[in-house]
Amino acid sequence: MSQRYHWARGIAGIAGFLLLAEVLGRTGIISPGVLPLASTVLARTAGLAANPRFLADLAATLEAWALGLAIAVAVAVPCGVVLGSLPGVRTATRAVVEFLRPVPSVALIVLVGLVLGPGLRMNVTLIVYAAVWPVLFNTIYGLDDTDPVAEETLRAFGFGRRAVIRFVSLPSAAPFIATGIRLASSIAIILNISTGFLTGRISGSGIGAFIADANTGAGNTALVLAAALWTGLLGLVLNAVLVGAQRRLLPWHQAYAAEAR
């Protein structure tokens, strides 16, 4: 019931915002020539659902997102386990990690494009570079947050380091890792759209390339906003899917969080 209430409040907020935007446009407070009416944008948004070109770009965005996020998780979680459980390795690699982490993926578009060529490989590589950091650091933070008493108890019964990581550290870090994946998911979408918008069709297909094409024509503001609205809807749906997966895979964490509240 609480979840439905939250969804209802969110939908009511969106409806109120759209209604306000429509009123401001209808009354002339905001010129429709500068910002199209909300009803016009919504109509174009609905129309994109039947646009074959946009649907192909949407599928390309989902493909790059899925591949990039999957590779980022496959790389970041094991690396996070190593760095989080071996203090010596963590200290030795800290300078390299802290040097690479602030470098924005967008700044690497030209370099990656020259090395790998434009297309899906470039998009996936940039997504992996950007999405790996939240998963990596959340894995490390999750391992740091593991109850030392639980670890020592397992060691007292003769379990080795691998068993402690498997049966105590990873389950304890799982909620942190799940949060990192959700953050990485949003970053992957943002980066894919940004790359497509900056490079256009050179980077292949995707919603970003579609927005770049629409932005070149006069009077296409409504179409650009409609595609951007689809981007927001895509992010919302993907986050809901990941939240649902987290609840199914970590039911004990949800019960613990509910008791804590």
Side-chain angles (χ1 to χ4, degrees), residues 39 75 87 90 140 174 179 253:
S39 56
V75 171
R90 185 173 177 178
I140 295 173
T179 300
H253 174 66

Side-chain angles (χ1 to χ4, degrees), residues 75-91:
V75 171
V77 173
C79 289
V81 171
V82 172
L83 296 179
S85 57
L86 299 177
V89 177
R90 185 173 177 178
T91 302

Side-chain angles (χ1 to χ4, degrees), residues 122-137:
M122 181 185 77
N123 290 332
V124 170
T125 300
L126 292 170
I127 288 174
V128 170
Y129 182 82
V132 75
W133 302 113
V135 182
L136 175 68
F137 281 97

Side-chain angles (χ1 to χ4, degrees), residues 78-246:
C79 289
V81 171
V82 172
L83 296 179
S85 57
L86 299 177
V89 177
R90 185 173 177 178
T91 302
T93 59
R94 180 172 297 162
V96 176
V97 170
E98 293 300 332
F99 172 78
L100 293 175
R101 181 170 59 150
V103 178
S105 296
V106 177
L108 302 176
I109 290 177
V110 175
L111 175 62
V112 176
L114 289 174
V115 174
L116 299 178
L120 181 62
R121 287 194 302 174
M122 181 185 77
N123 290 332
V124 170
T125 300
L126 292 170
I127 288 174
V128 170
Y129 182 82
V132 75
W133 302 113
V135 182
L136 175 68
F137 281 97
N138 272 273
T139 302
I140 295 173
Y141 297 152
L143 292 175
D144 289 344
D145 194 61
T146 303
D147 186 359
V149 175
E151 292 180 330
E152 292 300 327
T153 301
L154 216 61
R155 292 192 184 99
F157 281 95
F159 287 90
R161 179 182 299 227
R162 291 183 181 179
V164 172
I165 292 174
R166 178 182 176 185
F167 294 114
V168 176
S169 301
L170 278 179
S172 176
F176 289 83
I177 297 173
T179 300
I181 293 174
R182 288 171 56 195
L183 293 172
S185 172
S186 299
I187 291 173
I189 290 292
I190 293 170
L191 185 64
N192 183 260
I193 302 300
S194 301
T195 302
F197 181 75
L198 291 175
T199 61
R201 292 293 170 184
I202 296 176
S203 64
S205 53
I207 297 178
F210 183 91
I211 293 175
D213 288 346
N215 200 42
T216 58
N220 279 346
T221 306
L223 183 60
V224 171
L225 292 175
L229 185 57
W230 268 96
T231 302
L233 292 173
L234 178 62
L236 182 64
V237 170
L238 293 176
N239 183 70
V241 169
L242 292 175
V243 169
Q246 179 179 349

Side-chain angles (χ1 to χ4, degrees), residues 55-78:
L55 293 178
D57 286 329
L58 176 62
T61 295
L62 283 172
E63 181 184 14
W65 168 84
L67 286 174
L69 185 62
I71 295 173
V73 173
V75 171
V77 173

Side-chain angles (χ1 to χ4, degrees), residues 9-19 236:
R9 285 201 306 175
I11 294 173
I14 294 174
F17 173 78
L18 293 175
L19 179 61
L236 182 64

